[in-house]
Amino acid sequence: MSEDGSTLARRQLGKYLRDGREGRGLTLHEAAKLIQRSASTLQRMEKGGVAQMRDVDLDALCQIYEFDADHSAAMKGLAAQGNELS
C-alpha cells in the first residue's frame, strides 16, 4: 500500500469515527474521557493523524458509538490499511 493509500484510509476512518461520535451527541472531551485518552489524541484520530491506531482504542470507540458488527469490522479494516507503512 502506498503512503497516500494509508493516509486516505486513516482519514476515512477518522471521518467515520467523528460521525459516530457526533451521532451519539458526544463532545471530543466526553468521548476521549470514556476511552481514557486526551481530547487532542482523539482529535488526531479523527483527522487521520495517528499513524498506528491502537486496537483497544478502536474497539472502545466502536462500542461507545454503538457500531454494529459489520461497521466495526469495516473500521478495523480501515485501521489495518492505515497502519501499513508505505
Side-chain angles (χ1 to χ4, degrees):
M1 164 113 349
S2 72
E3 186 174 331
D4 289 338
S6 62
T7 301
L8 180 61
R10 287 194 307 265
R11 291 180 66 184
Q12 188 65 50
L13 173 61
K15 180 188 181 318
Y16 289 137
L17 291 174
R18 184 175 48 256
D19 290 347
R21 177 179 56 77
E22 291 173 349
R24 297 286 298 142
L26 296 169
T27 67
L28 266 172
H29 291 282
E30 291 167 337
K33 186 175 180 180
L34 291 171
I35 63 168
Q36 300 177 341
R37 303 287 282 191
S38 69
S40 62
T41 297
L42 181 55
Q43 185 174 41
R44 284 193 309 274
M45 290 176 192
E46 290 184 356
K47 290 184 179 257
V50 175
Q52 293 291 316
M53 177 72 76
R54 295 179 353 160
D55 289 340
V56 66
D57 292 333
L58 187 56
D59 289 341
L61 290 170
C62 287
Q63 184 176 9
I64 291 165
Y65 300 160
E66 297 181 356
F67 291 161
D68 62 24
D70 289 338
H71 197 164
S72 295
M75 299 297 97
K76 290 177 184 181
L78 284 171
Q81 289 175 28
N83 288 345
E84 290 179 5
L85 302 175
S86 52

